[in-house]
Amino acid sequence: MPRRSTANGFFPSEVQARFSPALVFNRKLKIVLISFVLCASFIGLWKIRERAQLQLEEERALLERQNVVPFEKRLCPALTSTELTVWQGFRDSRAVTRFKDSYFVATDGGLVELNPSGVLLRHYSVLDGLPESDLLSLSSFNSKLFIGTRTRGLVAFDGERFESYRWTDRVPQAINALFEDAGRLLIGTTAGGLIEFDGQQFREIKVGADHKRLLQVNYLSKSGARLFVGTFADGLWVEEGAHWSQFTLADGLLSNRIVGVVANREALFVGSDFGLAVAPFSSLANQTEPTSAKRFRTVATLPSLSGMVQFESDILLCKDDGKTFALSANADLSRLEVNAIDWKRPAGTTGCRLAVLGHDVREVGREPIHRRVVRRRQTI
């Protein structure tokens, strides 16, 4: 059969139309336009991503400069089932404070409420909403009782309900010390640093030009404009007028584990787990100047010293086993005399600490929860 031909060649006219120069140009133009739109979209998305990343980095840097600590807060409801019962002891007490019209004690078995006479009113456990029973520290702040736990962070109690605070960027391990200070709550942790809370936001307090984190904080107090931060192994930090100073064994302290601080008009008394040392404030003022002389001198070597408070004009100290001592805070620094207080403490007493509650000094530890310190002295 002969091949069909046309005036333009061997292809039919409709085939030739498909490959006409105008159609080919239009198709290439569409491809170029689509490619341009895709490239523009990609560039726009990339710029949006870069802008968002830049804003995120700026926000992170701002938060870092402000030391803001992100957190989550949740209500801890009580377990109301009548089929659940907790039989739990609470002999080992760690802290005691007054909240509303009662005394509250942080124990190894939950939160204990006592009346002013020391009579047990209520024992709060995990069934009442506590996230855990192993409690370490207490402080009243913003009309709430704040509780430091061993592993579950910070807890607030309004007298009826418990609320839990969890820091999302760190694990504190344990909250060893709480202290209310002029509109803020200071929180001393083992691994999460020293944190302040104003009722709305948490911020970490760091020291020095390198913004060092304070670890293993186990003691907090304040005298006038001076804030005292005691640590488990890093000595004593003192903040005054935004300036931080550190004192350790090298400065004459008997140990780097701080258990208490008392400041009077002229001198700073520092108790560690190996005894008591003192230094005039005049010798501490120029800590940046190099010196070979130790700033603190030993007042008394007392191994296992565990607590220290000022009561009226005296400084009271106690050892882990309940042995108690006293000296006058107003005595001449060259004539300081430590005296033993003779009182019948229970056998097997351990973990003792001292707390001033109103006009009383109480010794808290394993046995009993709450006991008045009898002040009969015997020179040692």
Side-chain angles (χ1 to χ4, degrees), residues 239-343:
E239 189 267 342
E240 183 178 9
H243 174 73
W244 287 89
S245 302
Q246 183 184 19
F247 303 100
T248 64
L249 273 166
D251 298 291
L253 299 182
L254 277 76
S255 167
N256 283 335
R257 181 181 177 182
I258 307 302
V259 301
V261 174
V262 171
N264 63 15
R265 294 184 301 273
E266 299 177 355
L268 180 65
F269 295 85
V270 180
S272 68
D273 65 348
F274 202 66
L276 179 65
V278 65
F281 276 113
S282 58
S283 70
L284 306 177
N286 298 318
Q287 194 196 7
T288 56
E289 296 181 4
T291 176
S292 58
K294 293 188 176 182
R295 305 172 190 273
F296 287 84
R297 70 172 182 84
T298 299
V299 177
T301 301
L302 298 169
S304 300
L305 188 66
S306 58
M308 174 180 175
V309 296
Q310 182 169 8
F311 183 65
E312 297 176 353
S313 62
D314 287 348
I315 296 175
L316 301 180
L317 309 102
C318 73
K319 297 180 69 171
D320 185 74
D321 61 1
K323 291 181 180 178
T324 310
F325 309 88
L327 74 154
S328 174
N330 296 326
D332 189 297
L333 296 185
S334 63
R335 300 178 182 179
L336 292 173
E337 185 178 82
V338 176
N339 303 292
I341 297 176
D342 182 21
W343 71 291

Side-chain angles (χ1 to χ4, degrees), residues 91 93 319-324 341-352 363-374:
R91 292 178 58 191
S93 55
K319 297 180 69 171
D320 185 74
D321 61 1
K323 291 181 180 178
T324 310
I341 297 176
D342 182 21
W343 71 291
K344 295 182 179 180
R345 63 188 186 280
T349 300
T350 60
C352 288
E363 190 170 78
V364 294
R366 179 169 296 278
E367 181 68 39
I369 290 177
H370 200 201
R371 178 178 292 270
R372 185 188 304 273
V373 174
V374 182

Side-chain angles (χ1 to χ4, degrees), residues 7 20 47 63 78 88 100 134 143 162 175 178 192 238 294 319 324 339:
S20 65
K47 287 184 176 180
L63 288 176
Q88 189 173 35
K100 295 185 176 180
D134 201 356
S143 301
F162 292 94
I175 297 178
L178 294 171
V238 181
K294 293 188 176 182
K319 297 180 69 171
T324 310
N339 303 292

